Amino acid sequence: MVTTTSASRSSRTRTASSRPFAASRSSFPEVRVKQAKPLVIAMAGMGTVGSGVARLLEENAESIAKRAGRPVTLKTVVIRSPKERVGAAKDAEFTNDLLAPANDPEVDVVLELIGGTTAARELITKALENGKHVVTANKALLAEYGHELFPLARSKSCHLGFEASVAGGIPILQSIKETLAANELFSVMGILNGTANFILTQMSQDGMPFDKALALAQEKGYAEADPTLDIEGIDAAHKLVLLIQLAFGANYPLDKLRVWGISRVTPMDIAFARQMGYGIKLLGTARKVNGKVTAGVYPALVPAHYLLAKVEGSYNAVRLEGNAGPVMLYGYGAGDLPTASAVLADVIAVARGCEPNNLGFADMPFPPDADILDLDEAVSEHFLRFLVPDKPGVLRDIAGVLAAHDISIAQVIQKEKSEVTGSAVPLVLQTHDAPAREIHAAMREVEKLDITLDRTMHYRIL
Amino acid sequence: MVTTTSASRSSRTRTASSRPFAASRSSFPEVRVKQAKPLVIAMAGMGTVGSGVARLLEENAESIAKRAGRPVTLKTVVIRSPKERVGAAKDAEFTNDLLAPANDPEVDVVLELIGGTTAARELITKALENGKHVVTANKALLAEYGHELFPLARSKSCHLGFEASVAGGIPILQSIKETLAANELFSVMGILNGTANFILTQMSQDGMPFDKALALAQEKGYAEADPTLDIEGIDAAHKLVLLIQLAFGANYPLDKLRVWGISRVTPMDIAFARQMGYGIKLLGTARKVNGKVTAGVYPALVPAHYLLAKVEGSYNAVRLEGNAGPVMLYGYGAGDLPTASAVLADVIAVARGCEPNNLGFADMPFPPDADILDLDEAVSEHFLRFLVPDKPGVLRDIAGVLAAHDISIAQVIQKEKSEVTGSAVPLVLQTHDAPAREIHAAMREVEKLDITLDRTMHYRIL
């Protein structure tokens, strides 16, 4: 048993709860769910996810109690203006005291659903210090402060659950930590941001320009008024850092991760990619290459016959590959109920008395820093789209620069002038395997030749 | 704590192991993986899956120990002729004594990988009676004798892990029981047999007839010499029964499940289905309809834009839908390493000291029988393909029969005579929603009219 020196009610609750099946071996250890002591939770934040949690707790109360072995009770909700009580949490106490959940001895689990990295960090720290289990959907906080919060949770033998923080309702984190634990994973990649995928899907299906697709996403509620985190790949980067920690047991610091967004993707590039048998997706990818980890977030060309290329709209998908084969998990990466479902999965694990398995490795308070192979040193095929004047010698000049960088060309598409491009013509090249470093150097050199009429677009090919 | 009256070494091992993080709350509970007491396993059967288990235990020993918190040691292997020691289990003792793993006080977990329902049942029963945890990939045994084995496991507080028995390396069972536990699932469906999916994929891509595709599957090692279990849907039925237990907490007895195979599917039907925007897949489906459960295994028309329609070759996929949205999980449903990975996931859960969560419900020794809505009473769209003589009045007669059964027609395709069909012409009808009962009655009536030249084919449309 966990030896505890604290006599607080919350730790006694946990000690008792960690044996919901307590019984002699010979008797039949049936649990009377409705008579079992409820697990008491408190929630900070009542936005989209918080409202979803309250709703699922109410609508699915019976089945959650059956899965959990006891009822789950929402005691407290922290919101800014507690007078405006909202949503389904009708029996909860509302307060604007941020630390109330952390300081209440009756509370077993604190749900941090306020987002951001200031108040959220303060609340989680205090809750863990007081021996409370914590569940959060806050990828930004964990990607930035995980090195501080996970060891604290471990020192208190507390759950710090974050299933909801990556790919919402998709059961990806527990799968990596537990169901696929006998694999050595060497590749993790995914469509980790539904907003960006929705925008790219619109651009791809209707030839819509980026700005119009973004406006549509905002109109439909998929994108925030300030969409930067989603469209510039930052949200996906937060999630990728967490996936790398769980899959590889390595910390890839956020500030070392290479991140590109989709705001410069054009319908023209999507059309060319399609013609070559690819779709364009904003991917987060990480793989092990000779013991090093290479990772990044970027719009990539994905072969059209890959299942990943067929993930459309606001859906997410994560593909894992290990020495026991590939798997792909698909579903809603955001939204009230999918995310709430993941939050409550972590709550149910606490209710069931599971030992914390926050990062999926037994002897690791926090993963050591990864030995990093910068994404620009990693090798892949590339897609380059130049916009050039319609005159002789241009292809020769560009091909010459690429050859000087030892980049060999697999395919060239040069189109006639069109209404879209005016007097300029797009010139598209697909390369064989080359490090992106050489591609970037070649692009800079081509620019100096003063033969391109617009910024050159570069995409990695999966 | 579990009160134990047994003084056997195995139960002491388990009692100790269930607290791998034992430590005072204030100290840092780091576990020294290599110094922790190994978990001792014994394995019956050294076929495809058993060899895979031995290989992963060897190749991934270090990462498995890190995930599990301690090393996992394979002590004993039961095979028919222990002189022919095979595979990677080089330090194990080989024996032909079936019950040796169950009777060895040093063994913590027994892996049943021999298949069948006689010796396997005997071994699992004895192991559980002796307080050993059990892990199995044997869907046939659990679908038939789960009502006996799960309550026994529960009465002994033992794990009876079977992640490997459904969809191989896809992390589906733990996802249903735990990560999606806050959902009320109302639909489970999947491509649950890789052999059948490989055959249908070949028929679909190359217009290959069933027999030739089956022969190819056998040649490639995807199909057994006797392929009945795979192609007649029986294997998928076993898996579906287990999925229903976990997803709905209800037992759908195998003998009540409606099961159709793929041996009568023709390339002609696949071609017509494609023309109408569908692929043909062997599906296991179960859904809740007004509190009842309706389920079956059958070749179905799946809309071509569904991700499920794009699952090709020997891959499996399972789609779940609950009130928190749909998810789909995809990967290898069979094969040595994928299945072994799932077997070892259950072993690692034991090593980590998790409480058993065999069926995913706290107060349920075994799920009660489902309130069944027979598949033929459930409503769907249907696809009917008749082979009729090329003469006037045939469509009128068939349409008349359907109308008499209140079946309304959504689409008709009638083709010219072709080389394939000789003087007969195929007549394809897509219906609006109707219960299959009426479809079957109409088919019988049409047969009596003596206007069809071959058996009429009927597929449900998803």
Side-chain angles (χ1 to χ4, degrees), chain B residues 109-163:
Chain B
V109 188
V110 174
L111 275 49
E112 182 281 300
L113 304 173
I114 47 182
T117 55
T118 309
R121 183 178 168 207
E122 190 187 350
L123 171 63
I124 291 179
T125 303
K126 176 57 85 179
L128 290 173
E129 283 172 355
N130 288 349
K132 313 268 184 219
H133 301 294
V134 170
V135 176
T136 179
N138 195 331
K139 50 234 132 202
L141 178 67
L142 294 180
E144 282 187 53
Y145 295 101
H147 61 279
E148 164 190 309
L149 298 172
F150 285 110
L152 174 60
R154 193 185 174 93
S155 74
K156 296 289 186 174
S157 299
C158 283
H159 285 255
L160 174 51
F162 57 109
E163 184 67 55

Side-chain angles (χ1 to χ4, degrees), chain A residues 390 415-419 421-426:
Chain A
D390 188 13
K415 290 273 168 174
E416 305 270 307
K417 284 181 278 190
S418 76
E419 280 178 28
T421 55
S423 66
V425 289

Side-chain angles (χ1 to χ4, degrees), chain A residues 171-303:
Chain A
I172 184 69
L173 302 192
Q174 189 175 27
S175 291
I176 294 175
K177 292 189 289 184
E178 301 181 4
T179 333
L180 300 170
N183 277 260
E184 299 247 19
L185 297 175
F186 52 76
S187 164
V188 184
M189 66 173 73
I191 294 169
L192 301 173
N193 185 281
T195 307
N197 202 54
F198 175 85
I199 291 171
L200 289 175
T201 303
Q202 289 301 318
M203 293 175 69
S204 170
Q205 287 175 350
D206 304 337
M208 213 180 257
F210 174 80
D211 291 341
K212 214 177 136 196
L214 170 60
L216 183 66
Q218 285 169 322
E219 193 186 307
K220 290 195 169 240
Y222 291 136
E224 314 266 345
D226 176 359
T228 313
L229 285 177
D230 291 326
I231 64 173
E232 294 306 344
I234 302 161
D235 172 75
H238 290 146
K239 294 166 179 167
L240 185 61
V241 164
L242 301 179
L243 286 172
I244 293 170
Q245 289 172 1
L246 301 188
F248 299 159
N251 180 41
Y252 203 113
L254 196 56
D255 56 12
K256 298 218 170 115
L257 194 68
R258 309 295 302 271
V259 180
W260 288 266
I262 59 164
S263 54
R264 285 172 53 204
V265 176
T266 67
M268 188 195 345
D269 297 335
I270 293 175
F272 277 117
R274 178 181 297 140
Q275 193 182 336
M276 293 159 61
Y278 297 93
I280 295 185
K281 293 289 180 191
L282 180 66
L283 294 186
T285 73
R287 62 194 165 99
K288 282 192 186 167
V289 180
N290 302 325
K292 296 190 172 189
V293 181
T294 186
V297 174
Y298 47 88
L301 267 65
V302 181

Side-chain angles (χ1 to χ4, degrees), chain A residues 386-410:
Chain A
F386 303 91
L387 212 54
V388 293
D390 188 13
K391 65 179 190 187
V394 169
L395 177 57
R396 178 203 59 204
D397 292 348
I398 291 177
V401 171
L402 293 177
H405 284 274
D406 215 18
I407 298 163
S408 81
I409 297 169

Side-chain angles (χ1 to χ4, degrees), chain B residues 16-41:
Chain B
S17 75
S18 63
R19 289 286 163 190
F21 301 110
S24 84
R25 280 193 161 254
S26 52
S27 79
F28 200 80
E30 186 161 354
V31 169
R32 301 290 168 196
V33 164
K34 285 185 185 158
Q35 287 151 34
K37 188 178 180 319
L39 183 83
V40 178
I41 67 175

Side-chain angles (χ1 to χ4, degrees), chain A residues 1-4 11 14 18-31 33 56 59-60 63-64 66-69 131 151 154-158 163 169-171 174-184 246-247 307 310-311 315 323-332 337-338 341 344-345 348 352 355-357 359-363 365, chain B residues 1-4 14 18-31 33 56 59-60 63-64 66-69 131 151 154-158 163 169-171 174-184 246-247 307 310-311 315 323-332 337-338 341-342 344-345 348 352 355-357 359-363 365:
Chain A
M1 296 300 295
V2 173
T3 311
T4 166
S11 51
R14 181 160 47 254
S18 63
R19 289 286 164 192
F21 302 110
S24 85
R25 281 194 161 253
S26 52
S27 79
F28 199 82
E30 186 161 355
V31 169
V33 164
L56 282 186
E59 285 179 17
N60 297 358
S63 64
I64 288 172
K66 280 185 187 168
R67 296 283 191 188
R154 192 184 174 94
S155 74
K156 296 289 186 174
S157 298
C158 283
E163 184 67 56
I170 301 175
Q174 189 175 27
S175 291
I176 294 175
K177 292 189 289 184
E178 301 181 4
T179 333
L180 300 170
N183 277 260
E184 299 247 19
L246 301 188
L307 224 45
K310 293 164 180 159
V311 173
Y315 281 92
N323 58 355
V327 300
M328 194 186 94
L329 282 67
Y330 164 91
Y332 284 132
L337 297 186
S341 155
L344 288 171
I348 290 170
R352 289 180 44 240
E355 290 293 332
N357 189 28
L359 288 165
F361 296 94
D363 59 354
Chain B
M1 296 296 297
V2 173
T3 312
T4 169
R14 182 161 44 255
S18 63
R19 289 286 163 190
F21 301 110
S24 84
R25 280 193 161 254
S26 52
S27 79
F28 200 80
E30 186 161 354
V31 169
V33 164
L56 282 186
E59 285 179 16
N60 298 357
S63 63
I64 289 173
K66 279 185 188 166
R67 295 283 192 188
R154 193 185 174 93
S155 74
K156 296 289 186 174
S157 299
C158 283
E163 184 67 55
I170 302 175
Q174 188 174 27
S175 290
I176 294 175
K177 292 189 290 183
E178 301 181 4
T179 332
L180 300 171
N183 277 261
E184 298 246 21
L246 301 187
L307 224 45
K310 293 164 181 161
V311 172
Y315 281 92
N323 58 355
V327 300
M328 195 187 92
L329 283 68
Y330 165 90
Y332 285 132
L337 297 186
S341 154
L344 287 171
I348 290 170
R352 288 179 44 238
E355 289 295 331
N357 188 28
L359 288 165
F361 295 94
D363 59 353

Side-chain angles (χ1 to χ4, degrees), chain B residues 5 23 121 189 193 199 206 241 252 316 323 362 384 427 435-436 456:
Chain B
T5 52
R121 183 178 168 207
M189 65 173 74
N193 185 279
I199 290 171
D206 304 337
V241 165
Y252 204 112
N316 283 18
N323 58 355
L384 290 166
L427 171 65
T456 300

Side-chain angles (χ1 to χ4, degrees), chain B residues 235-309:
Chain B
D235 172 76
H238 291 145
K239 293 166 181 169
L240 185 61
V241 165
L242 301 179
L243 286 173
I244 294 170
Q245 289 172 1
L246 301 187
F248 299 158
N251 180 42
Y252 204 112
L254 195 56
D255 56 11
K256 298 218 172 114
L257 194 67
R258 310 294 302 270
V259 180
W260 290 265
I262 58 164
S263 54
R264 286 171 52 204
V265 176
T266 68
M268 189 196 344
D269 298 335
I270 292 176
F272 277 117
R274 179 180 296 139
Q275 194 183 331
M276 291 158 61
Y278 297 93
I280 295 186
K281 294 288 179 191
L282 181 66
L283 294 186
T285 73
R287 63 194 164 99
K288 281 193 187 167
V289 181
N290 301 327
K292 296 191 173 191
V293 181
T294 186
V297 174
Y298 47 88
L301 267 66
V302 181
H305 65 277
Y306 280 27
L307 224 45
L308 215 46

